[in-house]
Amino acid sequence: MSPSTAPSRFHCEWAWLADGLAADVLIEVADGRFTTVTPGVPLAAGLDVVWLPGVTLPGFANAHSHAFHRALRGRTHGGRGTFWTWREQMYAVAAALDPDSYHRLARAVYAEMALAGITCVGEFHYLHHGPGGTPYDEPNAMGEALIAAAADAGIRITLLDTLYLTSSVDGRPLEGVQRRFGDAGVDGWADRVGRLAARPHAKIGAAAHSVRAVPAAALTEFARHTEGVPVHVHLSEQRAENDACLAVHGRTPTELLADRGLTGPRVTAVHATHLTDTDRTELGDSGTGVCFCPTTERDLADGIGHARSLTDAGSPLSLGSDSHAVIDPFEEARGVEMHERLHTEHRGHFTGADLITAATATGHAALGWTDAGTITPGARADLVTVSLTSPRTAGCDPAAVVFAATAADVRHVVTDGRVIVRDGAHLTVPDVGATLTDALHTTLTGSLR
Ligand SMILES: [Zn+2]
């Protein structure tokens, strides 16, 4: 069955609704949106419905992705090192890609995301230009490849087109492969991004890479250009960035962003790991979102951010798989709670409901899809059904499934009313493992040249 002919009535054994878990939920869908959501309906024989045993959740939003980093999974663990040594390997992959190979790789990565229940990705996209920084004939060829890849995989995308101008906080020019990331100032960036068009499955957002990559004056200009647009920025992932920012600007990265008009509800600060109490108050008071990426932050030895104090201060929390060391929204969600436990030596900072909200509604809102991420009439019809009879989830309280399930337990996924995963199989990318293998072989062969 093709995705567009998906049935429009689903009967969920359990469904995660706006006010919590409900049993025997009949869900009707028309034109990609929920029309009715009715708990407590007995399953009747002969009814034209799709039976969804297990727990059905809203669609997950992966609010922070760099698709090409997937090529590094399982290949960077041979020695010691830091974020900065990992970055050298990441740059070798970046140097190898062109629009065709990036499309193949991203299509496979987004299909992996779909299998994990991700119905929308925020792609923090900075690999814009050809070798040496020469623009492609179509200046957005790489961004277009990502938008097409998301369509192929059946998920939505917010392309967070990224401004990247310098290689250090004190303004050193881009060097080596970084030249592929740069534009001719904020105006050059804005001119290029202005040629990208939204589609039914794609929004165009913006990102400032970091205070390393965007000078202070350019941050102000960027803020002016992006009013009303979802904006993301890497913030204080590394202590070295904080030290350099204090040395050059006399303020923390958070204080610099605030000075330059880059805090507030439309802004999402990614990582927000090494913050001062004043930084957390600034972000919370301004309603600036934070996106944690626990599986990447642990993989890169970044440190542990303080999600509880940030959310208490007022910052909405979203989640991302960032470098794709793991693509598993459950692992990402419970990672927030588990890291807090390690840090505080206490349990119970976030409820299962808190974590599911971060992974669904708040993540979608951070990407500009405010009508997605909940199973309510009128919302975009995304459904993610998780088995309760797998070796991992058997015996689990359905309300606590986020603490037990993995991506491998996702059985069915619906995006905008279209079935994209059935019985654990992707409907338009038939063998995701083989597709990834082929795409990664091409990419890695290129990066070893
Ligand atoms: Zn990132």
Side-chain angles (χ1 to χ4, degrees):
M1 181 185 291
S2 79
S4 59
T5 57
S8 60
R9 298 217 295 178
F10 303 90
H11 194 284
C12 306
E13 183 184 10
W14 299 94
W16 196 277
L17 307 183
D19 52 359
L21 195 69
D24 278 323
V25 181
L26 181 65
I27 294 173
E28 295 182 295
V29 173
D31 298 326
R33 292 184 184 262
F34 298 120
T35 51
T36 64
V37 176
T38 314
V41 178
L43 184 61
L47 215 57
D48 178 24
V49 298
V50 176
W51 165 237
L52 297 176
V55 180
T56 296
L57 303 170
F60 292 121
N62 187 357
H64 189 66
S65 161
H66 309 283
F68 73 89
H69 292 193
R70 173 65 179 80
L72 299 173
R73 183 188 300 172
R75 306 185 66 87
T76 64
H77 303 277
R80 293 173 67 82
T82 64
F83 169 89
W84 306 102
T85 50
W86 170 87
R87 194 178 72 160
E88 291 308 311
Q89 295 169 283
M90 182 267 279
Y91 279 0
V93 173
L97 289 164
D98 61 29
D100 285 342
S101 60
Y102 203 9
H103 173 257
R104 275 201 300 282
L105 177 58
R107 172 177 176 268
V109 174
Y110 293 161
E112 182 186 355
M113 289 186 194
L115 288 180
I118 290 162
T119 55
C120 185
V121 63
E123 181 65 33
F124 196 109
H125 166 57
Y126 55 82
L127 183 52
H128 301 305
H129 303 299
T134 307
Y136 290 106
D137 291 342
E138 159 52 72
N140 288 305
M142 293 297 240
E144 292 288 355
L146 293 163
I147 290 171
D152 294 346
I155 67 173
R156 293 185 299 274
I157 183 170
T158 297
L159 189 74
L160 299 159
D161 195 293
T162 304
L163 177 66
Y164 197 123
L165 299 176
T166 55
S167 69
S168 65
V169 177
D170 60 1
R172 284 205 304 275
L174 302 179
E175 50 197 38
V177 71
Q178 291 175 336
R179 294 195 186 93
R180 298 191 68 177
F181 312 160
D183 289 290
V186 179
D187 286 342
W189 169 83
D191 178 60
R192 181 177 56 71
V193 177
R195 301 172 195 218
L196 282 163
R199 331 274 146 97
H201 81 293
K203 289 183 188 291
I204 310 302
H209 181 275
S210 58
V211 300
R212 290 198 307 276
V214 184
L219 288 173
T220 306
E221 253 185 286
F222 172 84
R224 256 201 319 268
H225 272 288
T226 56
E227 276 173 28
V229 173
V231 164
H232 289 218
V233 56
H234 290 125
L235 180 70
S236 293
E237 178 178 8
Q238 294 293 320
R239 292 184 196 277
E241 174 185 297
N242 286 3
D243 296 343
C245 193
L246 283 163
V248 172
H249 300 294
R251 39 191 28 78
T252 66
T254 298
E255 289 166 348
L256 183 63
L257 293 182
D259 283 355
R260 301 291 166 163
L262 279 174
T263 50
R266 76 188 174 94
V267 179
T268 297
V270 180
H271 301 302
T273 307
H274 301 288
L275 301 181
T276 65
D277 288 346
T278 312
D279 290 341
R280 276 186 282 274
T281 302
E282 171 65 46
L283 294 175
D285 284 353
S286 60
T288 307
V290 291
C291 178
F292 274 42
C293 309
T295 67
T296 290
E297 288 150 8
R298 66 174 75 142
D299 185 65
L300 295 181
D302 286 343
I304 300 176
H306 300 296
R308 186 69 262 170
S309 57
L310 277 162
T311 51
D312 286 345
S315 287
L317 174 68
S318 56
L319 301 168
S321 64
D322 189 4
S323 70
H324 314 310
V326 174
I327 293 178
D328 186 334
F330 301 96
E331 187 62 27
E332 223 63 68
R334 63 178 167 258
V336 171
E337 166 67 17
M338 297 305 160
H339 287 186
E340 287 281 344
R341 291 182 186 185
L342 288 173
H343 174 68
T344 61
E345 301 176 37
H346 286 282
R347 307 175 83 215
H349 303 271
F350 290 88
T351 65
D354 293 336
L355 298 174
I356 288 172
T357 298
T360 57
T362 311
H364 275 102
L367 298 175
W369 303 87
T370 51
D371 57 351
T374 59
I375 302 175
T376 49
R380 289 175 177 273
D382 293 0
L383 298 170
V384 176
T385 303
V386 185
S387 169
L388 285 174
T389 56
S390 83
R392 291 159 295 275
T393 58
C396 166
D397 175 352
V401 72
V402 70
F403 292 107
T406 71
D409 301 316
V410 171
R411 304 301 299 155
H412 309 282
V413 181
V414 176
T415 305
D416 286 327
R418 301 188 319 158
V419 178
I420 58 169
V421 173
R422 176 174 300 133
D423 296 325
H426 198 291
L427 295 190
T428 58
V429 183
D431 186 339
V432 176
T435 307
L436 275 164
T437 302
D438 288 349
L440 290 166
H441 178 75
T442 307
T443 304
L444 292 165
T445 304
S447 74
L448 295 175
R449 270 188 209 122

